[in-house]
């Protein structure tokens, strides 16, 4: 599956430019996950590389299909120079490894929680998985493999995550939009949820 990752990295470079840093994390029993950092003016983007090496499998399936199934990588965008967001590398790698470790299928609308701040001083311990197709286009693979989708991550405070569980992802995104929330602000507070 090294070929898939080479194609994925090429697509990331096409969509985001040349990475200015990269780090690798390996968890016991999983494939290596890299996190690439791209800087575009005052915005820093972190993208995983390795999550798509294998398709995500339905946790209820008795046997995981090595070819078919959804594939994805994660992309997080934040304003640079405001907080020590480079510490997000390990939490991002943990999230990218979760399909292999926990048998999850990561899809738009899902919440992913790391149980600790995403970076020092962050209000966020989880992320909302947003719809793909914005920054980086889907990467079509040869049949019968499904395309690799590049899923944006939107940091959530614990209050926002709890509110989302009750009201849904769409309602939370509308709340953010109506409040003019800057989702790239690494120091932002929770949106008003009354």
């Amino acid at each position: 599956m090294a070929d898939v990752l080479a194609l994925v990295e090429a697509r990331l470079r096409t969509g985001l430019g040349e990475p200015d840093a990269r780090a690798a994390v390996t968890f016991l029993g999983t494939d290596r996950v890299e996190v690439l950092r791209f800087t575009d003016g005052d915005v820093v983007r972190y993208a995983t590389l390795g999550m798509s090496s294998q398709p995500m499998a339905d946790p209820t399936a008795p046997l995981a299909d090595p070819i078919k199934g959804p594939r994805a990588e994660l992309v997080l965008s934040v304003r640079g120079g405001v907080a020590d967001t480079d510490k997000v590398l390990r939490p991002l790698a943990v999230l990218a490894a979760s399909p292999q470790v926990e048998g999850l299928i990561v899809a738009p609308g899902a919440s992913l929680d790391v149980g600790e701040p995403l970076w020092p001083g962050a209000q966020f311990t989880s992320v909302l998985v947003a719809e793909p197709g914005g920054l980086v286009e889907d990467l079509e693979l040869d049949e019968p493999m499904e395309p690799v989708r590049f899923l944006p991550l939107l940091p959530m405070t614990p209050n926002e995550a709890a509110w989302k569980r009750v009201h849904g992802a769409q309602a939370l995104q509308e709340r953010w939009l109506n409040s003019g929330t800057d989702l790239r602000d690494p120091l932002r507070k929770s949106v008003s949820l009354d």
Side-chain angles (χ1 to χ4, degrees), residues 44-90:
V44 179
R45 293 190 171 91
Y46 301 93
T48 62
L49 178 63
M51 183 175 168
S52 61
S53 65
Q54 296 178 35
M56 294 181 273
D58 182 342
T60 62
L63 196 59
D65 189 314
I67 304 292
K68 293 182 183 174
R71 294 173 189 260
E73 296 291 351
L74 308 174
V75 180
L76 173 70
S77 299
V78 293
R79 297 224 178 280
V82 181
D84 189 8
T85 56
D86 280 351
K87 297 285 197 268
V88 78
L89 300 177
R90 185 164 178 78

Side-chain angles (χ1 to χ4, degrees), residues 21-55:
R22 66 193 309 146
V25 180
T26 305
F27 302 100
L28 188 64
T30 67
D31 294 333
R32 170 182 152 130
V33 174
E34 288 189 84
V35 179
L36 283 59
R37 184 182 71 194
F38 301 85
T39 304
D40 179 16
D42 70 338
V43 176
V44 179
R45 293 190 171 91
Y46 301 93
T48 62
L49 178 63
M51 183 175 168
S52 61
S53 65
Q54 296 178 35

Side-chain angles (χ1 to χ4, degrees), residues 125-140:
T125 59
S126 62
V127 293
L128 174 65
V129 181
E131 291 291 333
L135 283 171
V136 184
E137 290 181 32
D138 293 351
L139 172 64
E140 297 293 331

